[in-house]
Amino acid sequence: MKLTTLLASAAMVLGLASGAIAQDKTKVGFIYVGPIGDGGWTYHHDVGRKAIEEKFGDKVETVYQESVPEGADAERAITQMALNGADLIFTTSFGYMDPTNNVAKKFPNVKFEHATGYKTAPNVSVYSARFYEGRAIQGLIAGEMTETNIVGYIGSFPIPEVIRGINSAYIQAKKVNPDVEFKIIWAYTWFDPAKEADAAKVLIEQGADVILQHTDSTAPLAAAEAAGNVIGFGQASDMSEYADGPRVSSIIDDWAPYYIDRTQAVMDGTWETVNTWHGIDKGMVVIGQITDRVPAEVKAEALALKDSIESGEYHPFTGPLNKQDGSVWLADGEVADDGTLAGMNFYVEGIEGDIPQ
């Protein structure tokens, strides 16, 4: 056999081998609604992406696209990621729900995971965290620490996830402080530091000395720090750069174990559609350090509430509770079912104002 033939045969074998190796690498993609440097929601999803790389090393390749608007832009971005060979795609914002399912129909061999949504398909799973458990603890601290009895709340969009959080925080705040009042501003954005800062400033001007937020940047904490006598909480991550100032605790979303588990399932060929909604007990919701700015007795109350939620002894939505219009929602001792919580579209009694449509 001629030398050139031998070399060609060897090159073909090497090419096939390298192709097999390349095919063995699982490609995992992420679509983000904000920048990975937002310090909150997207930042912690990206922490989860990096955890996949750390866990699996050269067995995986991860890719991401940040600051993808919800809607048509999201569908284009998800489609491109699938076309580029992703085996598993995590889409990490509520507004990606329909775009995710639309693309999934066109790529039945790709697995999709949508965060905070409720629409599944044979190749689409959904996952979320019980953020409202953390909001309950924040509400307790807010109700105990406010001196003006006004707590400001910056909402992103009036979807069940956000409405649940407002209600949960208010219920606990009201239990420890019957005089507390919530003022709510809707920012209509997940991440826009300027809008978030403006909302915080307006709430502070209205007398709020505690700011809660369901938006992704640290801008509300910066506004609280500038005001000097206002406290706030980290959202979706610890936001620890403000721990020596206004940030008295935080809700941390720990996605890493879920992301590792679902990537492993794709690699093993055991992936199947699931609907996951975990909380403090499973470690998907973590309560960040409660700082010394919180009085010791309040800290003890907050930690006791955390422990009771974690053990299942207490549920943040336990009756007696009425709806905003005064109609009975939950009888004494009755616990809200997940279906009602997942579709929550009403305020509880005592919260003023209407939910935007």
Side-chain angles (χ1 to χ4, degrees), residues 27 30 74 84 105 116 129 179 186 195 225 274 317 333:
K27 189 169 186 178
F30 289 81
N84 288 340
K105 292 174 185 176
T116 73
D179 296 323
W186 295 97
K195 282 187 178 180
E225 185 171 63
V274 297
F317 290 100

Side-chain angles (χ1 to χ4, degrees), residues 51-275:
I52 292 174
E53 294 182 336
E54 184 175 352
K55 171 70 175 178
F56 297 109
D58 59 7
K59 294 180 181 178
V60 299
E61 175 190 356
T62 70
V63 294
Y64 66 88
Q65 186 169 341
E66 57 188 331
S67 301
V68 177
E70 296 170 330
D73 287 342
E75 189 160 334
R76 284 191 288 270
I78 300 165
T79 298
Q80 192 59 53
M81 198 165 275
L83 287 171
N84 288 340
D87 301 293
L88 172 64
I89 299 175
F90 293 96
T91 59
T92 62
S93 190
F94 180 81
Y96 295 157
M97 182 162 58
D98 288 337
T100 299
N101 279 271
N102 292 342
V103 177
K105 292 174 185 176
K106 302 172 187 175
F107 296 90
N109 295 325
V110 178
K111 310 303 182 188
F112 296 84
E113 299 266 352
H114 176 236
T116 73
Y118 55 84
K119 293 182 180 179
T120 60
N123 61 331
V124 180
S125 285
V126 292
Y127 64 101
S128 189
R130 295 181 183 267
F131 311 116
Y132 66 84
E133 295 180 348
R135 303 283 177 206
I137 294 161
Q138 290 184 350
L140 183 150
I141 295 172
E144 292 275 25
M145 291 192 67
T146 178
E147 295 181 359
T148 64
N149 291 326
I150 298 175
V151 173
Y153 205 114
I154 304 171
S156 47
F157 295 94
I159 60 175
E161 173 194 335
V162 182
I163 296 167
R164 275 195 307 274
I166 294 170
N167 283 332
S168 180
Y170 179 79
I171 290 165
Q172 298 306 319
K174 195 74 171 178
K175 282 186 175 183
V176 299
N177 181 353
D179 296 323
V180 77
E181 176 187 352
F182 270 34
K183 291 186 180 293
I184 301 161
I185 289 181
W186 295 97
Y188 292 98
T189 182
W190 293 111
F191 177 81
D192 187 325
K195 282 187 178 180
E196 294 173 67
D198 287 345
K201 291 172 185 175
V202 169
L203 290 168
I204 292 167
E205 288 170 0
Q206 292 176 351
D209 59 354
V210 182
I211 300 294
L212 302 177
Q213 66 180 94
H214 203 131
T215 52
D216 296 347
S217 86
T218 59
L221 283 171
E225 185 171 63
N229 59 345
V230 179
I231 63 169
F233 297 83
Q235 153 65 11
S237 73
D238 204 27
M239 298 188 177
S240 57
E241 61 266 41
Y242 290 95
D244 292 333
R247 204 277 293 149
V248 295
S249 187
S250 55
I251 298 174
I252 302 169
D253 309 332
D254 187 3
W255 306 110
Y258 183 81
Y259 286 165
I260 289 170
D261 179 65
R262 300 303 281 164
T263 301
Q264 185 72 64
V266 169
M267 296 169 78
D268 293 343
T270 59
W271 188 99
E272 57 184 19
T273 300
V274 297
N275 186 336

